C-alpha cells in the first residue's frame, strides 16, 4: 500500500468500516475468529486454527468461511477462545476450544445450526467503538 | 433449520451449579411440554462472571439477561419468550443504582463490571492488519492532532480527561507532555515503557499483542505535540510475539504514510524504533530505562532533572507506559468528556489488571476506576478456587502490599491503594487463599528484590538482603520476636533512603503482611509453626499408628527412603532423615500421614 493522504485515509476507513459492519469478508459470510495472544497460543490456539481449517475442508465449507486471528480477549482460564459469526446464528464466543473440539464446533455450529454445550462465554465488556 | 431462540444457562463454578443444572433440565422439559422443542436450544455455558446474582439465564438473539432464576421460572421463559416473543420482565437484571462503578454512558446499558477502553480492540481486530484498526476509529486522533487541533488544545483535552500515568505512580499525563513541550531544545524524544517487570503482570504484553496501533498512534500524537521526531518502544526480549506484532504494525504504518516522513501530507515527520530490554526489573524505572536505551548499564540516576527536562541523551523526553498511550488514542478519538465520565473524581478512566493466583476465572480484566476489589475477585473472577477462603490480594507486585478481606469494598483508586499500604503499580493482582503463608509470600518478593536491586545505593543493596535473611530465619523457626521490630526498622529506613522506588517500595510486601498478619509471623517464631505448611522447615510429617494399615505405599514412594515398618504393621517416619517432600502425605489413602 502506498503512503496515503488524509483523504485517502478517510476513504479507506469508511470502506473498511462498512466491510466490518456487513460482516462479510472476501465474499464469505461466516467468520471464525481465533484468539492468538501468547496465552491462547500457549494453550494450543495454532493447532485449533489448523484443525478448524481441516474440518471446514472436510465439510466443503472452506468457500463460505474465513478463519481470522485476533489478540487476547482476556479469558485466560478458558483459552483457546474462538468466536463464530454466522448468519441466522447468534454470535458466540467459545472457550476451551482445543484442537480436538474443532470438528464438533464445525459440525454443531455450522452444519447443524446449534450451539455447543458447556463452552459458551460472554464477551467480557461491551464494545465502545461506534460501528 | 435455524432455531428461533437459544437459551443459555450459566454453568460456571461460581453459580450454584446444582440449581443451574435443574433449570437446564426444566427448560428442556418445558420446551417439550409446550411443543416448541424444535424452535429452541437450551445450552449450558461457562461462567458469565456475575455469580452473586446467579444462576443466570440469557436468551439469544434478544440478549435478555435474567438473574436469580429459579427452576419454576422455566415454564414462563418458554411460554413468554419462545412462544410469544416477549421478555420476562420480572427476571430481567436491573442495574443496582448504589453501585459506585456503574457507568452512565448513554449508549451502553449493561450488567458487566468490565469496561474496555485500553483493550477496546483486543480480541476483536486482527492485530496484524492495520486496516482493521483504522476501520474502528483508528488514527482519527492522529488526524485531529495533525490537522485540526493545536498543541494547546490537545494538552487541554488531556487535562480535561484527567488521564494519569498507568505505569504506577499516577502522574498526570498532560503535565508531563506540557512540561516537555515547553523545553526550548530542538531535539526531543517520545519513549514507551513496555518493560513490564512486575511478576504476574502481562497487561502491557496483551495490549501490544492485541492492538499495537493504539500505542503507535498515541506516540505519534505525543511526538507532534511536544515536537519530537523520534520515538522508542523499550520492550523486554521475553515478549517475542508482542515484538513481532509491533514490528509488523510499525512497518504497515510506515508503508501507509502514518509514520515516517510527511505523515498524511502534513509535513510532520515521526518514526518509531523498537529497543529490546534484557528483562531487569529496575530497567522499568524510567531513568534506568533511559540509561539502558543509551546503551549503558541500566541503573537509576537521581531525579531531578526529570526526563521531561533532561531525558534520553540529555534531551527532553516524554516517557509513558503502554497503557497510558493506549488511553491517549482512545481519548483523542472519543473526546475527553466521554473519558472523564468513567471512573472516580481523581482517578479517571479504567485500569487493566492481570488477575492470577487462587482465582477461578484468571485473566485480563479492565474495570472503571472505583470498582471494588470484591467486584473484581468475586464477580469477574468468579471467586476463590475450590471454595477455599480468601486471605488477601497482592497488588503492585514486589512494590505493593497485601490487601485483606477488611478492605475488599474499598473503591480502587491511586489514593485508596496507597492508603492501604499497597499501590496501583502496573496492575498485577495475585489472589491468595487460606493455604498461602504470608511469611512465604513476603520472602518470595524480598528474594525478587534482592536479585533485582541494581546495587547502586546502600539502603536497597544491603537492606533487601538483611530483610531477606530475617524472613528466611522466620520461615525456619530460628528468628526471635525482636526480629520483627528489626524488619520494620530496616524497612522504614530503606523506604526513606533508597535512590529509586525499587528499594523505596521493596519493604511494602513485608510491612503490609506484618501489619495485617502479625499473629502469623509470631506463630512461626514462637510456636515454630506454619499453618499452611508452606514453610517446609517448620513442617513435621508423622504417621498416626492407629490409622496406618501398613500397606507400605508411602515407604515405596519416599525418595529418601526414611519410612520403615513391617507389612500390615504401622509404619514410622525417621524424622531426622525426612526431607519433607510431602510425598507420603499425598499418597496415603488412609489419612494416616499427618502434617504438623
Ligand atoms: C522498580 C521500578 C519498576 C518500574 N517498572 C515499570 C514498568 O515495567 N513499566 C512502566 O510503565 N513503568 C514502570 N515503572 C514506573 C516508571 O518509572 C515511570 O513512572 C513510568 O514509566 C511513567 O509512565 P506513566 O506516566 O505513563 O505511568 C517502574 C518504576 C520502578 C521504580
Ligand atoms: S534503590 Fe535499589 S534499584 Fe534503586 S538505585 Fe538503589 S540499589 Fe538500585
Ligand atoms: S501409605 Fe498410609 S496406610 Fe500405607 S503404610 Fe503409609 S501411612 Fe500406613
Ligand atoms: S515427607 Fe518425603 S522424605 Fe519425608 S517421609 Fe514423607 S516421603 Fe519421605
Amino acid at each position: 500500500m502506498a503512503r496515503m493522504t488524509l483523504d485517502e485515509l478517510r476513504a479507506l476507513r469508511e470502506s473498511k468500516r462498512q466491510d466490518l459492519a456487513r460482516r462479510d469478508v472476501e465474499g464469505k459470510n461466516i467468520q471464525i475468529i481465533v484468539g492468538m495472544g501468547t496465552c491462547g497460543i500457549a494453550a494450543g490456539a495454532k493447532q485449533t486454527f489448523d484443525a478448524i481449517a481441516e474440518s471446514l475442508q472436510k465439510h466443503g465449507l472452506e468457500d463460505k468461511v474465513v478463519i481470522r486471528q485476533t489478540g487476547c480477549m482476556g479469558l485466560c482460564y478458558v483459552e483457546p477462545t474462538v468466536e463464530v459469526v454466522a448468519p441466522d446464528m447468534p454470535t458466540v464466543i467459545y472457550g476451551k476450544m482445543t484442537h480436538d473440539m474443532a470438528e464438533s464446533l464445525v459440525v454443531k455450529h455450522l452444519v447443524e445450526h446449534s450451539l455447543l454445550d458447556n463452552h459458551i462465554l460472554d464477551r467480557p465488556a461491551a464494545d465502545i467503538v461506534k460501528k | 433449520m435455524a432455531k428461533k431462540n437459544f437459551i443459555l444457562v450459566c454453568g460456571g463454578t461460581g453459580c450454584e451449579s446444582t440449581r443451574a443444572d435443574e433449570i437446564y433440565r426444566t427448560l428442556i422439559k418445558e420446551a417439550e411440554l409446550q411443543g416448541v422443542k424444535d424452535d429452541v436450544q437450551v445450552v449450558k455455558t461457562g461462567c458469565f462472571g456475575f455469580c452473586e446474582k446467579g444462576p443466570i439465564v440469557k436468551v439469544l438473539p434478544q440478549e435478555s439477561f435474567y438473574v436469580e432464576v429459579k427452576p419454576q421460572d422455566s415454564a414462563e421463559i418458554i411460554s413468554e419468550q419462545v412462544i410469544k416473543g416477549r421478555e420476562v420482565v420480572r427476571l430481567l437484571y436491573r442495574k443496582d443504582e448504589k453501585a459506585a462503578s456503574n457507568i452512565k454512558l448513554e449508549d451502553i446499558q449493561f450488567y458487566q463490571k468490565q469496561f474496555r477502553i485500553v483493550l477496546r480492540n483486543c480480541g476483536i481486530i486482527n492485530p496484524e492488519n492495520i486496516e482493521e484498526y483504522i476501520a474502528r476509529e483508528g488514527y482519527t486522533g492522529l488526524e485531529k492532532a495533525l490537522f485540526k487541533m493545536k498543541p494547546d488544545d490537545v494538552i487541554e483535552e488531556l487535562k480535561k480527561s484527567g488521564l494519569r500515568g498507568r505505569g504506577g505512580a499516577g502522574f498526570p499525563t498532560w503535565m508531563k507532555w506540557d512540561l516537555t513541550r515547553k523545553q526550548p531544545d530542538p531535539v526531543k524524544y517520545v519513549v514507551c515503557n513496555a518493560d513490564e517487570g512486575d511478576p504476574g503482570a502481562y497487561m502491557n504484553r496483551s495490549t501490544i499483542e492485541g492492538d499495537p496501533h493504539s500505542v503507535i498512534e498515541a506516540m505519534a500524537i505525543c511526538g507532534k505535540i511536544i515536537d519530537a521526531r523520534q520515538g522508542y518502544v523499550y520492550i523486554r526480549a521475553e515478549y517475542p510475539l508482542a515484538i513481532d506484532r509491533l514490528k509488523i504494525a510499525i512497518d504497515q504504518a510506515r508503508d501507509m504514510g502514518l509514520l515516517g516522513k510527511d505523515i498524511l501530507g502534513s509535513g510532520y515527520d515521526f518514526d518509531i524504533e523498537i529497543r529490546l530490554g534484557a528483562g531487569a526489573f529496575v530497567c522499568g524505572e524510567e531513568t534506568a530505562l533511559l540509561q539502558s536505551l543509551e546503551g549503558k548499564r541500566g541503573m537509576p540516576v537521581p531525579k531531578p532533572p526529570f526526563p521531561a527536562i533532561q531525558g534520553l541523551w540529555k534531551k527532553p523526553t516524554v516517557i509513558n507506559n503502554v497503557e497510558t498511550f493506549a488511553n491517549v488514542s482512545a481519548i483523542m478519538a472519543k473526546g475527553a468528556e466521554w473519558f472523564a465520565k468513567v471512573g472516580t473524581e481523581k482517578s479517571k478512566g479504567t485500569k487493566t489488571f492481570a488477575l492470577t493466583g487462587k482465582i477461578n476465572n484468571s485473566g485480563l480484566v479492565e474495570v472503571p476506576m472505583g470498582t471494588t476489589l470484591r467486584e473484581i475477585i468475586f464477580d469477574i473472577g468468579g471467586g476463590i478456587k475450590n471454595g477455599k477462603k480468601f486471605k488477601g490480594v497482592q497488588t503492585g507486585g514486589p512494590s505493593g502490599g497485601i490487601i485483606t478481606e477488611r478492605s475488599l469494598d474499598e473503591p480502587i483508586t491511586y489514593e485508596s491503594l496507597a492508603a492501604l499500604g499497597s499501590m496501583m503499580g502496573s496492575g498485577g493482582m495475585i489472589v491468595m487463599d487460606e493455604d498461602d503463608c504470608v511469611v512465604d509470600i513476603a520472602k518470595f518478593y524480598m528474594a525478587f528484590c534482592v536479585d533485582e536491586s541494581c546495587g547502586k545505593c546502600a539502603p536497597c543493596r544491603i537492606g533487601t538482603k538483611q530483610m531477606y535473611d530475617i524472613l528466611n530465619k522466620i520461615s525456619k523457626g530460628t528468628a526471635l520476636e525482636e526480629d520483627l521490630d528489626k524488619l520494620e526498622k530496616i524497612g522504614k529506613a530503606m523506604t526513606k533512603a533508597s535512590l529509586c522506588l525499587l528499594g523505596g517500595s521493596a519493604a511494602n510486601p513485608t510491612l503490609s503482611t506484618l501489619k495485617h498478619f502479625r499473629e502469623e509471623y509470631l506463630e512461626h517464631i514462637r510456636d515454630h509453626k506454619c499453618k499452611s505448611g508452606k514453610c517446609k522447615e517448620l513442617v513435621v510429617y508423622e504417621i498416626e499408628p492407629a490409622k496406618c494399615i501398613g500397606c507400605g505405599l508411602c515407604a515405596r514412594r519416599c525418595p529418601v527412603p526414611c519410612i520403615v515398618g513391617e507389612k500390615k504393621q504401622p509404619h514410622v517416619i525417621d524424622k531426622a532423615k525426612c526431607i519433607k517432600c510431602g510425598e507420603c502425605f499425598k499418597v496415603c489413602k488412609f489419612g494416616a500421614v499427618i502434617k504438623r
Side-chain angles (χ1 to χ4, degrees), chain A residues 1 3-4 10 13 16 36 38 68-70 73-74 114-115 117-118 120 122-123 127-128, chain B residues 41 44 46 58 111-112 116 125 131-132 136 138 143 209 245 254-256 261 334 364:
Chain A
M1 181 35 107
R3 294 178 71 80
M4 296 183 298
R10 288 182 172 160
R13 181 179 298 123
K16 287 291 154 190
M36 301 254 241
T38 292
R68 299 171 49 219
Q69 68 159 341
T70 186
M73 223 172 305
S114 56
L115 303 178
D117 253 324
N118 292 322
I120 296 182
D122 215 10
R123 181 172 286 291
D127 189 358
I128 60 162
Chain B
Q41 184 194 1
K44 255 191 268 180
K58 196 168 161 181
Y111 49 88
Q112 286 163 313
R116 300 200 155 188
I125 65 167
E131 295 184 355
E132 295 193 16
R136 290 170 48 84
E143 258 184 63
E209 281 176 6
R245 298 230 166 115
R254 214 180 271 139
D255 284 348
M256 296 184 85
K261 292 241 171 292
K334 304 192 83 69
L364 199 64

Side-chain angles (χ1 to χ4, degrees), chain B residues 340-412:
Chain B
K341 282 188 204 163
V342 185
T344 68
E345 199 197 325
K346 284 194 188 151
S347 300
K348 294 290 185 201
T350 58
K351 182 74 194 80
T352 60
F353 292 101
L355 195 56
T356 56
K358 308 286 178 60
I359 184 107
N360 277 318
N361 307 345
S362 62
L364 199 64
V365 306
E366 180 174 351
V367 291
M369 295 274 191
T371 303
T372 66
L373 280 166
R374 189 184 300 282
E375 290 173 290
I376 295 181
I377 295 168
F378 290 92
D379 294 342
I380 300 172
I384 311 301
K385 263 193 188 150
N386 304 321
K388 296 264 180 164
K389 205 166 159 294
F390 171 79
K391 182 166 193 171
V393 55
Q394 178 84 16
T395 67
S399 312
I402 195 167
I403 295 174
T404 58
E405 178 82 40
R406 214 176 322 146
S407 312
L408 277 183
D409 291 312
E410 193 77 29
I412 300 173

Side-chain angles (χ1 to χ4, degrees), chain B residues 132-419:
Chain B
E132 295 193 16
Y133 177 75
I134 291 174
R136 290 170 48 84
E137 302 177 351
Y139 288 103
T140 50
L142 181 61
E143 258 184 63
K144 288 181 196 162
L146 289 177
F147 298 101
K148 237 170 93 189
M149 296 166 76
K150 289 204 255 337
D152 281 335
D153 302 338
V154 174
I155 296 283
E156 191 52 36
E157 191 76 0
L158 282 183
K159 190 172 173 180
K160 263 200 293 184
S161 77
L163 177 65
R164 297 166 63 178
R166 301 297 196 242
F171 193 78
T173 305
W174 74 268
M175 255 192 230
K176 229 181 222 186
W177 290 26
D178 200 34
L179 194 60
T180 315
R181 180 170 75 108
K182 290 183 173 145
Q183 301 310 309
D185 207 305
V187 180
K188 294 173 189 173
Y189 295 104
V190 179
V191 175
C192 173
N193 188 342
D195 190 58
E196 199 166 47
D198 166 3
Y202 56 93
M203 303 79 49
N204 290 173
R205 186 193 76 201
S206 290
T207 305
I208 293 180
E209 281 176 6
D211 192 15
H213 288 285
S214 65
V215 177
I216 295 172
E217 179 183 356
M219 287 179 73
I221 294 171
C222 179
K224 169 70 188 169
I225 302 314
I226 66 166
D227 197 21
R229 306 288 133 145
Q230 183 65 47
Y232 295 96
V233 179
Y234 186 88
I235 182 167
R236 51 178 50 218
E238 287 142 59
Y239 284 177
L241 184 66
I243 295 166
D244 275 356
R245 298 230 166 115
L246 196 59
K247 268 189 199 145
I248 294 172
I250 290 173
D251 285 346
Q252 289 183 350
R254 214 180 271 139
D255 284 348
M256 296 184 85
L258 294 161
L259 283 179
K261 292 241 171 292
D262 190 19
I263 295 175
L264 293 176
S266 66
Y268 173 62
D269 310 337
F270 184 77
D271 216 329
I272 296 176
E273 276 180 39
I274 301 174
R275 287 283 186 273
L276 303 189
F281 181 52
V282 75
C283 286
E285 196 280 334
E286 53 191 17
T287 61
L289 186 152
L290 295 175
Q291 293 282 310
S292 172
L293 261 184
E294 291 177 14
K296 299 180 192 142
R297 183 168 166 185
M299 277 189 172
V301 293
K303 289 186 278 192
F306 287 93
I309 317 284
Q310 258 185 47
L312 190 59
W313 290 296
K314 300 229 179 325
K315 299 296 178 190
T317 302
V318 163
I319 172 162
N320 275 132
N321 172 257
V322 170
E323 187 175 334
T324 312
F325 279 124
N327 272 305
V328 168
S329 42
I331 292 168
M332 289 294 288
K334 304 192 83 69
E337 245 170 71
W338 173 88
F339 184 84
K341 282 188 204 163
V342 185
T344 68
E345 199 197 325
K346 284 194 188 151
S347 300
K348 294 290 185 201
T350 58
K351 182 74 194 80
T352 60
F353 292 101
L355 195 56
T356 56
K358 308 286 178 60
I359 184 107
N360 277 318
N361 307 345
S362 62
L364 199 64
V365 306
E366 180 174 351
V367 291
M369 295 274 191
T371 303
T372 66
L373 280 166
R374 189 184 300 282
E375 290 173 290
I376 295 181
I377 295 168
F378 290 92
D379 294 342
I380 300 172
I384 311 301
K385 263 193 188 150
N386 304 321
K388 296 264 180 164
K389 205 166 159 294
F390 171 79
K391 182 166 193 171
V393 55
Q394 178 84 16
T395 67
S399 312
I402 195 167
I403 295 174
T404 58
E405 178 82 40
R406 214 176 322 146
S407 312
L408 277 183
D409 291 312
E410 193 77 29
I412 300 173
T413 63
Y414 290 100
E415 285 75 20
S416 71
L417 289 181

Side-chain angles (χ1 to χ4, degrees), chain B residues 450 453-466 494 498 503:
Chain B
V450 172
S453 165
C454 80
K456 181 166 178 168
C457 66
C460 163
R461 182 181 66 238
I462 302 170
T464 50
K465 179 70 170 84
Q466 284 183 335
M494 208 161 75
S498 293

